[in-house]
Amino acid sequence: MMKTAKATVLVAMAGLFATPLAAAELGAVDEPIKLAVNEWTGQHITTLIAGHMLKEAGYKVEYITAGYQNMWPAMAEGDLDAAVEVWESNVPQGYYQLRDGGRLEDLGALGLDAREGFVYPAYMEEQCPGLPDWQALAACAANFATVETLPQGRLVDYPGEWGTPGADRMAALNLPFKAIPAGSEGALVAEFKAAQSQKTPLLAVFWQPHWAITAFDLKFTKLPEGTEACYADASAGPNPDVTGDCDFLPTRVFKAAWPGLKEKWPAAHEILTNLQLSVEQQQPLMGAVDVDGRPAEQVVAEWVAANESAWRPIVDAAIR
């Protein structure tokens, strides 16, 4: 998630290339490619997989710990060469200025299906027929109620310092729920764990990719489509009196690089451009790190050894 730990593996390669690609030159193999390492687990895994692929192609790789908000000038100067999991929702304006000035290159979407919204444990579909459709929540609100929220249902919102997206949407959609801020990401996860163990009702604001989605079998409620128009024009959503009566806007996750990467390491540029990620594959790896406490390096090493068919074609296409 862009506000805390977020979390990567490659999707199946079938159909990845529309036409055959010619092999590229390796370039300066004696100099290391510097990959930015940011502060969330998923990004660590993504970067380690990308680094492994580059090493298999014949490159040296150096992992550089970098602040997500302030790494862009360093990349523009070539002190960093690439960042392989960039969440557009949190990119500073300085990134766009450097990109538009030709000092940073967008390597394309990563393919990660980033999402935020209202989630519930799958067993709630029996207690609230009509889910995942958001309109079912109006009739089932009492099934989500607690002593502190009666007669309204209870929604566990993001921690207070993250804003009030849950409360805002409940009000805009005229749903009879009271939003209760969680204390932290850990508190949200604790809510899921407690609910799952007792099969108690729960509705919360959450995000993917996150290992908890898989671990607790969480499902997203289908809210009205989140669009720019919904947030600017009251007539665009189901409630004609307000804006924001819809889902979160989707977040683009992409790769960025120093523009000199393509000339200095042509095959590396091709490898990173064609790197793709799957949420369904990424979340278990995040869980192995965040829940099981295993080192990301070990988790990634085991995955690449067992799934060579998933990443090897990208490397081979670039160098052969």
Side-chain angles (χ1 to χ4, degrees):
M1 159 70 187
M2 34 290 193
K3 300 178 179 71
T4 59
K6 296 185 178 170
T8 173
V9 298
L10 308 173
V11 295
M13 299 308 304
L16 181 62
F17 302 113
T19 58
L21 297 177
E25 296 292 331
L26 287 175
V29 293
D30 57 327
E31 298 183 43
I33 298 172
K34 299 180 289 294
L35 299 181
V37 177
N38 301 136
E39 60 267 28
W40 63 94
T41 303
Q43 201 275 351
H44 295 177
I45 293 172
T46 308
T47 304
L48 289 167
I49 291 177
H52 174 86
M53 294 168 66
L54 292 173
K55 290 177 182 178
E56 286 294 314
Y59 292 110
K60 297 178 181 178
V61 174
E62 187 175 350
Y63 299 107
I64 306 294
T65 300
Y68 184 66
Q69 297 294 328
N70 57 20
M71 68 182 176
W72 306 111
M75 191 176 299
E77 294 295 330
D79 295 327
L80 289 170
D81 297 311
V84 294
E85 186 177 318
V86 181
W87 289 63
E88 193 164 39
S89 58
N90 275 3
V91 170
Q93 189 60 37
Y95 163 80
Y96 297 105
Q97 294 170 349
L98 291 168
R99 182 202 63 186
D100 294 346
R103 300 183 63 197
L104 291 173
E105 181 184 2
D106 185 327
L107 296 182
L110 188 59
L112 201 62
D113 181 20
R115 184 176 181 183
E116 294 177 87
F118 294 163
V119 301
Y120 59 87
Y123 59 77
M124 286 305 301
E125 292 183 357
E126 295 183 6
Q127 300 184 39
C128 185
L131 284 176
D133 190 287
W134 68 276
Q135 295 177 88
L137 294 173
C140 295
N143 293 350
F144 292 90
T146 64
V147 173
E148 63 181 331
T149 67
L150 283 171
Q152 297 175 304
R154 176 177 180 260
L155 171 74
V156 182
D157 210 342
Y158 279 159
E161 63 268 27
W162 296 1
T164 56
D168 296 344
R169 280 171 178 77
M170 285 298 182
L173 291 167
N174 288 322
L175 290 173
F177 278 74
K178 181 177 181 179
I180 307 297
S184 63
E185 177 190 2
L188 276 166
V189 171
E191 290 270 3
F192 298 138
K193 184 176 182 179
Q196 189 66 244
S197 66
Q198 300 295 322
K199 295 296 186 288
T200 52
L202 182 65
L203 185 69
V205 185
F206 207 60
W207 65 91
Q208 74 173 26
H210 195 290
W211 60 265
I213 296 289
T214 301
F216 300 114
D217 196 14
L218 302 176
K219 306 297 182 183
F220 279 92
T221 303
K222 293 182 180 178
L223 298 173
E225 182 182 4
T227 63
E228 295 287 353
C230 172
Y231 286 90
D233 181 359
S235 67
N239 185 346
D241 298 323
V242 299
T243 58
D245 49 335
C246 56
D247 210 343
F248 288 75
L249 291 174
T251 295
R252 179 173 180 260
V253 184
F254 63 100
K255 300 154 288 184
W258 168 57
L261 177 72
K262 186 173 185 178
E263 181 177 356
K264 189 170 183 178
W265 299 290
H269 181 273
E270 185 173 311
I271 289 168
L272 296 181
T273 297
N274 288 306
L275 173 66
Q276 293 286 289
L277 312 176
S278 163
V279 167
E280 291 76 17
Q281 299 281 349
Q282 182 189 46
Q283 287 175 165
L285 298 184
M286 294 172 65
V289 176
D290 289 341
V291 181
D292 300 338
R294 301 178 60 205
E297 294 81 0
Q298 183 183 76
V299 170
V300 168
E302 291 178 359
W303 185 85
V304 296
N307 295 273
E308 187 169 355
S309 62
W311 57 266
R312 178 67 69 180
I314 293 178
V315 174
D316 287 350
I319 65 175
R320 295 180 181 175

